[in-house]
Amino acid sequence: MSNVVLSDELLKLYFGFTRSGKVTKDESGNNITKITKLLACIKEFYTNKEQLARCGVTDEMMTAVESMPLFNLDNTTTELKDLVLKSKLKLLLVDKNCSHTDVISYNILTPNPRYGFHYSMTFKAGEDKSFAISHIQRLITNSPKIEIIDPYFIYDSNQCTENLNLLNQFITNKTNKLEITCGSSNNSINLKSQLADSGYTNTSCPQILANTHDRYIKANGVKIHLSSGFYALTQRNKELTYMVEIL
């Protein structure tokens, strides 16, 4: 099953680029922007013979077209809306306002787009998380600023101690800026004092905003989402999904 469906306009642009290795010229000069953003937000997409015909693909061209990467040909649908419903994300990618009221569409030219490359991995309870720890360590190493948001970073003294031990693995230069935003602990732990005792000389601990539930690390232009929080990285009995988002 493929992820999304492309509008006819984007499909024509994709096939033209794939066949020639060049971006077709247009009066607006936006086609280079379009193909760049399109390739950034698709892995695989669906199309069908009806859409290909609308885009000028003849039966004689099908053999060559079928060898192109990233798309799957679906022969069970004729309507665009049904093709969209076959996709994993139930989403039609467009480059202008969509006239199809019966599908969910996303304009790839939207300012501050919400798509992008993400890498994620899930560890079930009992699974070793050393891969995640090593990956995160490399992602944040030498970052001039590291931000950690986790309401439960200092939930209790044991959790705080384990989190600080893991932090010491992640951060080699303790003079770089470190900002940890978390909730209050059961034992009134002074986190800033704990960080100073551990050798961190440039820290801040802002007060967490009400109703903050997300847990993540920001450093070196990436945001590392931690579904079960920082502490779960060290706990083999806890499930964890981490996702790396490029900012």
Side-chain angles (χ1 to χ4, degrees), residues 51 54-55 65 94 101 131 165 173 184 211 213 220 223:
Q51 187 180 32
R54 291 196 302 272
C55 293
V65 166
V94 299
T101 58
F131 178 91
N165 288 337
N173 187 349
S184 59
N211 299 318
H213 303 290
N220 281 333
K223 186 176 183 180

Side-chain angles (χ1 to χ4, degrees), residues 136-149 153 166-181 195 200 202-206 216-222 224 230:
I136 294 171
Q137 183 182 40
R138 285 163 175 76
L139 285 168
I140 69 177
T141 188
N142 296 323
S143 178
K145 181 180 179 180
I146 296 172
E147 298 176 62
I148 298 173
I149 309 291
F153 191 89
L166 181 57
L167 197 65
N168 289 334
Q169 293 183 49
F170 285 159
I171 300 176
T172 55
N173 187 349
K174 294 185 177 182
T175 64
N176 287 344
K177 188 171 183 179
L178 172 64
E179 183 177 290
I180 301 179
T181 303
L195 291 169
Y200 296 95
N202 188 8
T203 65
S204 60
C205 302
Y216 55 86
I217 305 168
K218 288 173 68 176
N220 281 333
V222 299
I224 307 160
F230 201 84

